[in-house]
Amino acid sequence: MKLGRLNHIGVATPSIADSIVFYRDVMGATKIHEPFDLRDQGVKICFVDTPTHSGMDGTQIELIEPLPGNASIASFLAKNPQGGQHHLCYEVPDIHIAKAEFEVMGKRVLGEPRIGAHGTLIFFVHPGDMGGVLTEIMETPKNGH
Ligand code: CO
């Protein structure tokens, strides 16, 4: 496994609209992207940028709200009604190599690579094999975000 940049931290929320107000007014976020539906995964997503001073892309917060019929985020919210930290997402240069490497190490990759919120291939690794952290692996976008 070739560890890349921490791309984003996934935060589940019962209301992206309320979370936007929080990140803007309490945290001082100035770059909050337009929310959009990721229908394949049954979620609404909103990215909040964290600034950097280097000109490089900063890590983002990925706000995740379940769409009707979604099971996994809805059950997370049933246990955590306010929402909360859901997953960490690291970039890798090649998604298929990364998947094979996790599998060789006996880690449970959850499903086949699929298009994620940044339009590049992603997969998740079971938190039970990752020190309790649900881990998303994404191929580094070729042209930034
Ligand atoms: Co994510």
mmCIF file of all heavy atoms in Angstrom, residues 21 54 59 72 80:
data_model
loop_
_atom_site.group_PDB
_atom_site.id
_atom_site.type_symbol
_atom_site.label_atom_id
_atom_site.label_comp_id
_atom_site.label_asym_id
_atom_site.label_seq_id
_atom_site.Cartn_x
_atom_site.Cartn_y
_atom_site.Cartn_z
ATOM 1 N N VAL A 21 -24.192 25.675 7.732
ATOM 2 C CA VAL A 21 -24.254 26.837 8.632
ATOM 3 C C VAL A 21 -23.177 26.708 9.714
ATOM 4 O O VAL A 21 -22.461 27.667 10.025
ATOM 5 C CB VAL A 21 -25.657 26.967 9.267
ATOM 6 C CG1 VAL A 21 -25.661 28.026 10.363
ATOM 7 C CG2 VAL A 21 -26.700 27.283 8.187
ATOM 8 N N SER A 54 0.078 26.741 1.094
ATOM 9 C CA SER A 54 1.127 26.315 0.156
ATOM 10 C C SER A 54 0.664 26.364 -1.288
ATOM 11 O O SER A 54 1.458 26.152 -2.193
ATOM 12 C CB SER A 54 1.542 24.890 0.492
ATOM 13 O OG SER A 54 0.423 24.035 0.324
ATOM 14 N N THR A 59 -7.077 19.432 2.692
ATOM 15 C CA THR A 59 -7.996 18.338 2.980
ATOM 16 C C THR A 59 -9.408 18.906 3.065
ATOM 17 O O THR A 59 -9.607 20.032 3.490
ATOM 18 C CB THR A 59 -7.585 17.676 4.307
ATOM 19 O OG1 THR A 59 -6.285 17.120 4.131
ATOM 20 C CG2 THR A 59 -8.545 16.583 4.704
ATOM 21 N N SER A 72 -26.871 2.426 5.099
ATOM 22 C CA SER A 72 -25.676 2.467 5.949
ATOM 23 C C SER A 72 -25.534 3.798 6.685
ATOM 24 O O SER A 72 -25.249 3.819 7.882
ATOM 25 C CB SER A 72 -24.428 2.162 5.128
ATOM 26 O OG SER A 72 -24.232 3.137 4.139
ATOM 27 N N ASN A 80 -25.854 7.631 16.026
ATOM 28 C CA ASN A 80 -25.222 8.934 16.293
ATOM 29 C C ASN A 80 -26.147 10.023 15.759
ATOM 30 O O ASN A 80 -25.934 10.539 14.669
ATOM 31 C CB ASN A 80 -23.866 9.026 15.581
ATOM 32 C CG ASN A 80 -22.940 7.855 15.904
ATOM 33 O OD1 ASN A 80 -22.248 7.865 16.899
ATOM 34 N ND2 ASN A 80 -22.957 6.839 15.052
#
